[in-house]
Amino acid sequence: MFVKVCGLGTTDDIDVAVEAGADAVGLVISRTSVRGLERGRAVRLAAHVPLAVLSVLVVNDTPAAEAARIAGELGFGALQLHGAAYREEDFAAAARVFPQLWRATSLNDRPDTRVGAYGEEVLLLDSPDAGSGKPWDLSLLETGRPEGKWLLAGGLAPENVGEAIGRARPWGVDVSSGVESSRGVKDHQRIRAFVAAAKQAASLEA
């Protein structure tokens, strides 16, 4: 089970996620997100991520080609274009600069749920209210579960990730608000608990 811990804001956050066994960490650059980092801080945090762990730049309001340039300049391993505002042509523009792309969307946007439909390597299905911590109706996946490398996100937490994995059977899971003590502040014990719960659930499913 691939586990990404997103919205990290300090080097300690990164260290805890890595030590817990996370496969990827997400850093957000955004004008609208409480987890958004200014560029200098993003540079320092990206450089702190070990090579064995995938660093993902997450954007929701940056033009795709510009975000791709930033991802390359800062040394990220992948770029996550988050939200329905990013169209197929945006992914094409980004791919000309930085080809390691993830696509994050919600089923409420009626997206193409084929992994790679926009040229992305990984598809992430999130809550309609991204970053809110609100769970969404996983029964919607019963008639449209993606195949391949896709991550389940939205409303996941240490207490429910095991059940969610059992129902949705994703390739991976992504968490942000579900491992916070307050909005935008990561709780290190909850990060450890989430990664452990996700990995344990995956081993039971195998």
Side-chain angles (χ1 to χ4, degrees):
M1 178 60 56
F2 189 95
V3 179
K4 172 172 166 269
V5 183
C6 198
L8 303 183
T10 69
T11 55
D12 284 346
D13 290 347
I14 292 171
D15 289 341
V16 168
V18 170
E19 291 165 7
D23 302 283
V25 297
L27 305 179
V28 179
I29 291 181
S30 168
R31 294 182 295 273
T32 58
S33 172
V34 68
R35 302 170 187 91
L37 304 170
E38 57 89 21
R39 182 166 176 146
R41 190 174 176 190
V43 169
R44 293 192 296 275
L45 293 182
H48 190 75
V49 181
L51 290 177
V53 175
L54 182 67
S55 58
V56 183
L57 172 60
V58 179
V59 299
N60 68 344
D61 55 11
T62 303
E66 178 184 344
R69 287 192 295 272
I70 293 170
E73 290 171 3
L74 271 57
F76 280 90
L79 169 64
Q80 178 178 316
L81 299 176
H82 201 117
Y86 293 108
R87 302 295 189 179
E88 191 169 0
E89 56 267 28
D90 296 307
F91 280 81
R96 288 192 286 270
V97 180
F98 186 85
Q100 291 76 38
L101 302 178
W102 289 23
R103 174 166 60 102
T105 188
S106 161
L107 290 182
N108 274 31
D109 297 321
R110 302 189 179 186
D112 189 328
T113 57
R114 296 173 299 164
V115 178
Y118 286 12
E120 77 278 3
E121 297 178 346
V122 175
L123 172 67
L124 185 148
L125 292 182
D126 200 358
S127 160
D129 189 5
S132 68
K134 297 177 182 178
W136 54 283
D137 185 3
L138 297 183
S139 68
L140 296 173
L141 291 169
E142 293 174 2
T143 57
R145 181 179 288 104
E147 296 181 1
K149 292 184 177 182
W150 74 278
L151 273 67
L152 178 67
L156 299 181
E159 297 82 6
N160 66 9
V161 66
E163 179 185 359
I165 288 171
R167 291 187 63 190
R169 302 193 301 278
W171 173 77
V173 290
D174 177 283
V175 69
S176 184
S177 57
V179 291
E180 292 180 345
S181 56
S182 60
R183 191 161 174 79
V185 179
K186 291 295 184 280
D187 182 311
H188 293 172
Q189 187 53 43
R190 288 186 67 77
I191 290 175
R192 296 185 185 98
F194 182 90
V195 176
K199 298 288 186 179
Q200 181 179 19
S203 69
L204 295 175
E205 289 289 314

